Amino acid sequence: MKKGGWFTSLANIERIEVSVIKSIKVGSWPKLTVPLNSLLFDCQSEICRLAVAGNKVECFKLINKLSRSVFIRYIAICRVSSHSGGTPGPNGETLKTAADKLSIYKMTGVAKMQNLPKMEVLQVEIPKTGGQVRTLGISNILDRVLQTQLSLLLDAYLEAIYPTEIYGFRKGRNCLQAVGMLKHILATASKPRLGVLLIDVEKCFDSFLHSSILEHFEVPKEWKPLLRRWLKPMMVDNKGAKLGKIIRGIHQGSVIGPMICNVIIMKALITSEFSKKKIGVFESFSNTYMLMVEGKRKQRTVYRHLISYADDLVITTTNNQELSRLLEIVKEKLSLFGLSISAEKTKIISYANTEKKIVFDYLGFTFLYVPRNKIRKGGILSRNDDITNRKNIQAPGTHLVYPERQGFRDIKLKLKNTIKKLKRLSFLEILNETNAIVRGYANYFA
């Protein structure tokens, strides 16, 4: 943003801070009507501008100054209160009342931050499909607020440096964009030489080396002690029994966890040590290869792409002979950060035989390649589907993308069970409950 506009925003922030401090001094939590999100956006825009200009030192000075300000502390407390303030951490505290907010505000002051109590995280297990469980961690309100203070501003810096290949945990980006990009790549690539590598990083959040996080996840110097605190909390169960300290990774459910995930994946696979134009995992590969066509050697250009959505990665290449080598390089690079891939969920897919149907799943969607000679009405998705107009395409086949059938069955079963439980309620009450489930499914897939 322009200098004059930024100085105006700073002046407005100072006026807000004076108002907040006055209210807090008399023991009242202020309810501001000014456009806080607009001023926060101005702060984030200035951080982003400095990062794009390469002025990293000034950028981190601004992050440090603002993240400890009354303005950001106020916003962070309000956000945590509205998002998860009713969920208690190990100490049983919530963030609902004005008294709760005043107490947390005082504890987030610079002087108080030097003498924080030892950090504990409540471990909660959530069932997954296949009988497995996902372990989540619920930290105390104070640490949630402190992490929010930092993430509100650090996220703006990271957005300025993230490569386009990262789609997960980013504002303005979602799984549909990652799925759309993959479909575009598959539809436009030369099929007989096309190869796809589906990679699942095993227990991603639980496996990062703490040394890698401290080296690559940059925060202002003053926040380093807090970052170390957040990496090694004591895990406790719902009865208060200590389960041990975290020695690797960061607990799922933390505010800064998604940012750490993106940064580590970026550093491991995308950032190149030798070239700004090449993705790190591709830097040892040639841009061309030789191919025998009708008895003559011809040179072909190789097009490679990487799509990252949290721990779900896709690599595509128009030279399917290099897929195994690519997989080994990915394993090697991830291992430097303490990560490994799931052998069960990782797949190598070749389009060498364009006369066969090819099916794979990614991010809850099924990708189906249908050869041109098998395009017909009905029998692909349902009896009434008609894609016969695609018979006229010049490509050897066409791609269809649709939600996984198992996911669709699961949502139907969930609706059925919900209706059974609520059948004694009124029609409108049942409708409100089922609409929330349908809305959640539609928001992801539509």
Side-chain angles (χ1 to χ4, degrees):
M1 64 186 299
K2 292 181 180 179
K3 284 275 185 181
W6 171 235
F7 289 138
T8 302
S9 297
L10 280 179
N12 290 334
I13 289 171
E14 287 174 5
R15 282 194 289 270
I16 289 172
E17 290 185 336
V18 170
S19 174
V20 170
I21 291 169
K22 280 183 179 178
S23 296
I24 289 174
K25 278 184 177 179
V26 297
S28 173
W29 183 255
K31 294 183 179 179
L32 302 179
T33 57
V34 294
L36 295 178
N37 287 336
S38 176
L39 290 173
L40 175 61
F41 178 76
D42 290 343
C43 296
Q44 293 169 334
S45 298
E46 181 64 13
I47 291 167
C48 194
R49 184 190 69 80
L50 291 170
V52 170
N55 200 340
K56 187 175 173 182
V57 175
E58 290 300 316
C59 183
F60 273 80
K61 279 183 182 178
L62 183 59
I63 291 173
N64 185 54
K65 177 185 175 182
L66 290 173
S67 61
R68 294 164 177 263
S69 67
V70 173
F71 173 68
I72 293 296
R73 286 160 65 194
Y74 178 83
I75 291 179
I77 290 170
C78 290
R79 290 213 173 177
V80 172
S81 176
S82 62
H83 292 166
S84 63
T87 305
N91 61 6
E93 292 178 357
T94 57
L95 194 60
K96 293 180 178 179
T97 66
D100 296 335
K101 295 172 184 177
L102 287 169
S103 175
I104 289 294
Y105 173 83
K106 290 174 183 175
M107 294 188 72
T108 57
V110 176
K112 294 280 186 180
M113 285 168 63
Q114 309 305 322
N115 301 299
L116 294 176
K118 288 185 178 180
M119 184 178 178
E120 292 185 341
V121 173
L122 177 63
Q123 182 171 297
V124 179
E125 292 185 344
I126 298 185
K128 291 172 63 178
T129 54
Q132 297 179 325
V133 294
R134 184 190 302 277
T135 302
L136 296 181
I138 303 174
S139 56
N140 287 320
I141 292 292
L142 175 60
D143 286 291
R144 278 181 252 171
V145 170
L146 290 172
Q147 289 185 33
T148 303
Q149 285 177 222
L150 179 61
S151 66
L152 283 172
L153 302 168
L154 190 61
D155 188 50
Y157 166 74
L158 293 174
E159 279 297 328
I161 65 170
Y162 278 147
T164 57
E165 289 79 12
I166 292 181
Y167 288 86
F169 308 127
R170 294 182 65 182
K171 291 175 184 175
R173 290 207 163 198
N174 54 45
C175 71
L176 289 180
Q177 292 172 326
V179 168
M181 175 56 73
L182 180 56
K183 184 185 178 185
H184 172 74
I185 292 168
L186 297 177
T188 56
S190 175
K191 291 297 177 298
R193 305 293 297 177
L194 177 63
V196 178
L197 194 56
L198 297 173
I199 301 169
D200 182 86
V201 182
E202 194 165 28
K203 296 183 179 178
C204 185
F205 277 72
D206 301 328
S207 304
F208 302 126
L209 293 174
H210 285 172
S211 57
S212 297
I213 296 174
L214 292 170
E215 179 183 354
H216 298 289
F217 185 69
E218 297 177 287
V219 297
K221 185 179 177 181
E222 292 77 0
W223 284 87
K224 277 281 187 181
L226 281 172
L227 178 59
R228 291 190 181 94
R229 166 189 169 84
W230 297 330
L231 291 179
K232 294 190 175 183
M234 175 62 70
M235 302 300 292
V236 299
D237 62 17
N238 55 8
K239 295 180 181 178
K242 294 182 178 180
L243 305 174
K245 280 193 172 185
I246 290 178
I247 57 172
R248 290 180 72 165
I250 186 164
H251 64 276
Q252 292 191 53
S254 66
V255 177
I256 62 168
M259 290 194 295
I260 290 175
C261 176
N262 276 349
V263 168
I264 296 299
I265 294 295
M266 176 178 72
K267 294 291 183 180
L269 301 178
I270 300 173
T271 304
S272 172
E273 297 179 14
F274 308 105
S275 171
K276 289 185 178 180
K277 294 182 179 179
K278 264 193 174 184
I279 293 174
V281 75
F282 302 146
E283 61 190 4
S284 63
F285 290 83
S286 172
N287 291 330
T288 61
Y289 69 98
M290 301 305 295
L291 182 67
M292 294 296 293
V293 180
E294 297 177 354
K296 295 181 180 180
R297 284 169 58 85
K298 291 194 176 182
Q299 190 174 23
R300 291 288 184 267
T301 302
V302 184
Y303 298 96
R304 304 181 185 93
H305 298 87
L306 185 148
I307 296 172
S308 167
Y309 193 93
D311 56 355
D312 291 307
L313 311 172
V314 173
I315 292 176
T316 67
T317 174
T318 52
N319 180 11
N320 51 31
Q321 299 300 311
E322 63 189 23
L323 285 171
S324 297
R325 185 178 160 211
L326 271 169
L327 181 58
E328 291 305 313
I329 290 176
V330 169
K331 285 181 182 178
E332 182 184 333
K333 285 184 173 289
L334 288 175
S335 67
L336 298 176
F337 296 81
L339 299 173
S340 60
I341 67 171
S342 168
E344 181 186 349
K345 296 179 182 178
T346 297
K347 296 180 182 177
I348 294 177
I349 300 161
S350 174
Y351 282 73
N353 186 354
T354 56
E355 299 301 312
K356 285 176 58 180
K357 286 184 181 180
I358 298 171
V359 185
F360 65 88
D361 296 328
Y362 181 61
L363 296 180
F365 287 84
T366 295
F367 287 75
L368 170 63
Y369 167 76
V370 185
R372 187 167 53 188
N373 61 358
K374 293 186 180 179
I375 294 176
R376 62 185 185 276
K377 183 174 180 178
I380 295 173
L381 298 181
S382 70
R383 293 180 182 178
N384 298 319
D385 286 320
D386 188 358
I387 58 168
T388 51
N389 61 323
R390 301 195 191 187
K391 275 185 173 288
N392 301 322
I393 59 174
Q394 295 181 351
T398 186
H399 278 91
L400 300 174
V401 181
Y402 52 92
E404 287 180 23
R405 282 182 175 146
Q406 185 57 49
F408 191 60
R409 291 191 194 104
D410 290 344
I411 201 73
K412 288 196 295 183
L413 182 61
K414 188 175 181 180
L415 285 168
K416 184 178 179 180
N417 292 336
T418 301
I419 292 169
K420 277 185 178 180
K421 288 179 183 178
L422 304 175
K423 60 185 179 182
R424 293 186 179 180
L425 300 179
S426 69
F427 174 73
L428 284 177
E429 288 174 314
I430 295 174
L431 198 61
N432 285 334
E433 291 292 330
T434 54
N435 275 351
I437 297 171
V438 173
R439 216 178 292 121
Y441 183 83
N443 286 342
Y444 183 86
F445 288 101

